Amino acid sequence: MLTAILTCGLGMMLTSCSDSDDKNGGKETVNPATDEDGYTIEVGEGLTLPENEFKTKVPAATNFDQNIVNALKAIDKVTDVKPFTMVHSYNMYTEQFVDRTAYFFNYKQDIDHNDPSKGWFKQQCVLTVAGKDRPTVLLTEGYALGSADGYRNRLDSIFEPTLVDVLNANCLQVEHRYFGWSLPEGFTNKWNYLTAKQNSADLHTIVTAIKQSGIVGQGKWLATGVSKPGMTASYYAYEYPGEMDAYVPFCAPFMLTQNEPGSYNYIQSADALGSRLEKVKAAFRAYCGNQTLQLETVKLFKKEYPYYNSYDDDAVRMSLLSVLFNSHWKRMSYVHYSLWEPLVPKEGDGADKFLTFILSNDRTRYAGDTDIDYQRRLDYVDDLEPDSTIFNNTPRGLNRASGVEKARLDPFQAHTCIELGAVAVTLGWVDDLLTDMEKSYLTSKKSPASLGFNYDNGSYIRKVLDGIKQSSCNMMFVYGMQDPWTGNRIPDDKLGKNCQILYIENGTHNDAIDTWNASERNQLFQWLKGLGFDL
């Protein structure tokens, strides 16, 4: 986290810190990599293809159903079938650890669904089987399939949506194109086929193939995901409205511009903070309005982290201002108030208390954390967040591997620049206390044009929202009242006749159904039962 503090401005918090020359339309590759079946993966100039640790470090399972393996291999376009064990997968609903057999496979997917002659790429998928007659949950992934730390493609530590446990369901997970090792144009900085429409077509072809295989699919089907995977579920519902019996996007934002203020405005409001609003606001104002306090905090920071002694005090001061906002976003996203509220300083407190508050974020182990809850939070930490590793400036979710010589442009950032839109930092609490230079530093970010993209100005998202309004899809959008992304929730006037919103009073950025109150769980469960799901 700490090097990222000094190199990424807050305006870049939800984007990568890639070099400005890593952009769409970059130089062609001269470094291909070949898979065992002869499939060539294009590698961009100056890039090193990350190691796929699933292939090198995850052993095949010894206890598996050969009939499932055979049925997968019989599917046209399926390759590389490998059963493996999801080690100590935590069932959040039953609060038990289990070792679950899963089946990895690649699907030979069209690079361009509008023109199959352009060839195919391998799209990574994972299937777990509870029974042919059980419901099947489709995780509409928005990122790579991988481990909780966001780097390695360690599918043995993958975790499934909570609804899989609730429904005792099969689960099909499909990696989002351009993430992980599902690379239509190889490991390059080219993004010609990175669209929600293309990815929805990926889901359609794979779901169709699995349904026809007979492995699973005789029961009800439900698509779900949290955050960007929840966005993916929404786009999929728009593109293929009859494919699923139900869609349950958790924490899914809808952004119509590159500067959407809703999320930051929301976490500075009473809707998100409740009675804590004035206390937290006062802490921000006490720090931002006192440069003497800020410089005292810098001295403590440098003492604790001597690596930064060579940096100018004012540069570190500006960076800590950025982290003040960044950490608040992360706490509001993943850490319940009750855990971090005791750390909120008040005016007159010393620099030590303010530094502790500034540096406490989603990865902090708080006094009230249990082992299970802390690990759960680490599992849920969103791939949009910057890396938390000291002296490592590679944004999490960027490449899913260590040792990359030059960073690939973050696929999420690329997608926001193409059609998804992005968040704008708002400084409402302290706008009157900051200098123009500080305001510019805290809110600056790269535009799509500067990265080589032509943003569609919200055209696709508007189509999705209008389509959902006209659709008969059974959709339940779930939002946590503490979660920043609730500030960009689907508008009420865009809900279709079979759509509804469920707000979770103490909810953060996850699908932790087991933490909801009885009334909230009952609303979801009764809705599912009404659609024919067997709970």
Side-chain angles (χ1 to χ4, degrees), residues 222-241:
L222 179 150
T224 191
V226 179
S227 192
K228 188 170 184 290
M231 298 160 69
T232 306
S234 303
Y235 311 147
Y236 179 49
Y238 164 64
E239 297 289 352
Y240 296 93

Side-chain angles (χ1 to χ4, degrees), residues 63-76:
N63 182 21
F64 61 91
D65 189 333
Q66 187 63 47
N67 291 326
I68 295 175
V69 172
N70 294 340
L72 284 170
K73 289 182 176 180
I75 299 174
D76 184 35

Side-chain angles (χ1 to χ4, degrees), residues 473-488:
C473 284
N474 298 305
M475 303 187 72
M476 178 173 281
F477 294 87
V478 182
Y479 294 99
M481 291 302 293
Q482 187 184 305
D483 181 19
W485 293 111
T486 299
N488 283 107

Side-chain angles (χ1 to χ4, degrees), residues 76-364:
D76 184 35
K77 297 186 177 182
V78 164
T79 184
D80 307 316
V81 178
K82 179 181 179 180
F84 68 99
T85 303
M86 296 195 302
V87 180
H88 300 308
S89 175
Y90 182 63
N91 183 323
M92 286 181 283
Y93 191 63
T94 63
E95 298 185 350
Q96 294 179 339
F97 285 98
V98 295
D99 288 350
R100 185 174 297 175
T101 299
Y103 300 85
F104 169 87
F105 63 95
N106 275 314
Y107 189 87
K108 293 182 178 179
Q109 192 68 260
D110 288 342
I111 292 173
D112 181 359
H113 290 281
N114 298 316
D115 184 1
S117 69
K118 291 180 180 176
W120 53 270
F121 68 99
K122 289 185 175 183
Q123 189 162 30
Q124 296 195 136
C125 306
V126 169
L127 177 70
T128 55
V129 180
K132 289 184 178 182
D133 60 343
R134 297 305 306 159
T136 300
V137 171
L138 171 66
L139 173 57
T140 51
E141 185 56 80
Y143 301 103
L145 297 177
S147 63
D149 67 9
Y151 282 111
R152 297 179 296 277
N153 201 60
R154 294 298 304 275
L155 300 183
D156 56 339
S157 58
I158 199 170
F159 64 95
E160 296 178 314
T162 309
L163 281 169
V164 174
D165 300 326
V166 170
L167 296 170
N168 184 25
N170 311 300
C171 183
L172 174 62
Q173 305 194 34
V174 179
E175 187 164 73
H176 197 292
R177 56 169 51 210
Y178 286 91
F179 289 81
W181 277 263
S182 298
L183 305 172
E185 298 178 277
F187 196 72
T188 68
N189 282 311
K190 296 186 293 185
W191 315 95
N192 294 302
Y193 310 102
L194 177 54
T195 66
K197 187 177 184 67
Q198 291 278 3
N199 193 73
S200 295
D202 294 342
L203 295 171
H204 167 69
T205 58
I206 293 170
V207 167
T208 300
I210 292 297
K211 285 182 176 180
Q212 292 175 349
S213 73
I215 303 170
V216 298
Q218 296 180 11
K220 296 283 186 176
W221 279 74
L222 179 150
T224 191
V226 179
S227 192
K228 188 170 184 290
M231 298 160 69
T232 306
S234 303
Y235 311 147
Y236 179 49
Y238 164 64
E239 297 289 352
Y240 296 93
E243 197 126 287
M244 297 282 114
D245 297 292
Y247 303 81
V248 187
F250 290 84
C251 315
F254 296 89
M255 292 162 286
L256 297 171
T257 71
Q258 288 289 314
N259 295 284
E260 283 292 309
S263 292
Y264 263 91
N265 287 342
Y266 182 76
I267 58 172
Q268 297 181 44
S269 73
D271 285 342
L273 282 164
S275 61
R276 302 160 183 85
L277 174 63
E278 293 305 320
K279 181 178 180 179
V280 178
K281 178 181 177 180
F284 270 72
R285 291 188 64 80
Y287 186 79
C288 293
N290 189 337
Q291 284 204 12
T292 299
L293 174 61
Q294 293 172 33
L295 290 172
E296 289 174 355
T297 307
V298 169
K299 289 180 181 179
L300 286 178
F301 177 78
K302 285 188 170 184
K303 183 178 180 179
E304 187 170 350
Y305 303 101
Y307 172 86
Y308 294 97
N309 283 331
S310 61
Y311 286 87
D312 178 77
D313 281 357
D314 198 58
V316 178
R317 181 185 70 83
M318 295 284 282
S319 294
L320 289 177
L321 277 173
S322 171
V323 177
L324 173 67
F325 283 85
N326 194 346
S327 294
H328 184 57
W329 174 281
K330 292 179 179 180
R331 287 189 301 264
M332 292 293 288
S333 295
Y334 299 106
V335 188
H336 192 263
Y337 308 114
S338 60
L339 294 176
W340 57 264
E341 187 177 10
L343 299 183
V344 179
K346 61 182 182 297
E347 188 171 4
D349 281 343
D352 56 336
K353 291 189 177 181
F354 278 91
L355 182 60
T356 297
F357 179 65
I358 290 168
L359 297 182
S360 64
N361 57 30
D362 51 331
R363 292 181 173 271
T364 300

